[in-house]
Amino acid sequence: MIEGWRWYGGFDRISLSEIAQTGATSIVTALHEIPYGQVWPRNTIADTRAQINAAGFDWTVVESLPVHEAIKRAEGDLSELFANYRQSMANLAAEGIRVICYNFMPLLDWTRTDLAAPVPRGGTCLRFSLPKMAAFDVFMVERDGAEKDYSEAVLAAARCWFDKSTPALREGLTAAIMAGLPGAYDRYDADGLRQALIPYAGLDRTTLRQNHKRFLEEVIPTAEELGLKLAVHPDDPPRDLLGLPRIVTCAEDIDWILSAVDSPANGLTLCAGSLGANPDNDVPAIAERFAGRIHFAHLRNVAKDPDGSFEEAAHLTGDTDMPALVSAFLREEQRRRAEGRRDAEIVFRPDHGHELLDDAARGTHPGYPLIGRLRGLAELRGVIAGLNASMPNIA
């Protein structure tokens, strides 16, 4: 497996020279400064690649080439947006990129209610509290019909939190939820988010699936021609939020997407944490089932609560059996080598780490500290080395 590291380019508080000291060999990044829907110019891609190469890394995976919200809503004439996406793909392929990670989550990207929840023995982690999310949805955004999306127990806990909350706590909750919005988007307060939801009225699961299928039909043939692979990222968290449907949450969803346009170019980013937050998911089994279509991997772990809440665990101590998951990847790489494929190795990156030691002082992107991810990478590296040593045919 190829050790990757997510880097936010000029927006990152962690330098490429520091990343080099982690031992990772591949950078995973994107042109975060370009607004959604616009073409990524080849010269800008080339400049970024040259910077990465000069620091001693490869750049093989883009995370992410964003899908414009109008495509997710199927709103208006989309021909220019699809053409721009295909041209960006062509420009990336011309510069040697082979995998494009993307997601199809409407409006909100990853969502957490706490960005610095304490963990045992010190440090902090990202956390998703379903009662806090319900408090935000029902009592702050005041979305019509929101109460129907939560159990009585969760609503009671939400009311309790809201009644005891101060303006500062409510502002902090809003800021945490907004932290998952892509960089090209403004952050909203509760009233602003209520307005932002209006264009999504009536967008149900079936409609969003059909819009996703249309996207795939528009771009996968181009990916095939260019030798690119697209890899959809699962929804995070894997549940509907604020009345917005989520359609990449489980094995059934993944099977539908990969079958919608049945091509090796239409693949999956296996995010262990996103899928692991769904209590019905057996993440190693999902990896086994879809191994041939996994083009990229995020390795992280979560610890779930009975009420639907969860938090980021250490990479080897959460609910997902990480050695079993890594074993599935290694067996798939062995199969690919037996076929003579030059792209047998799967790029992975240590996803979301705890903020440890002086991580908090850096002010990095939430979930992307230096020391916490280095700990995760070191642990994963040990798992991979141990499995390789015990399974000599997978070297």
Side-chain angles (χ1 to χ4, degrees), residues 2 14 37 54 75 84 87 109 118 140 154 161 173 179 187 195 236 253 257-258 303 308 313-314 318 334 355 386:
I2 297 172
I14 301 171
E75 179 181 83
N84 287 354
Q87 186 60 58
D109 203 300
M140 294 171 63
V154 167
W161 182 89
L173 175 59
R187 271 53 180 166
Q195 295 301 310
D236 185 12
D253 285 346
I257 291 165
L258 300 186
Q334 182 185 43
E355 283 196 334

Side-chain angles (χ1 to χ4, degrees), residues 30-41:
L31 303 186
H32 298 284
E33 67 276 17
I34 297 180
Y36 286 19
Q38 294 187 13
V39 173
W40 287 15

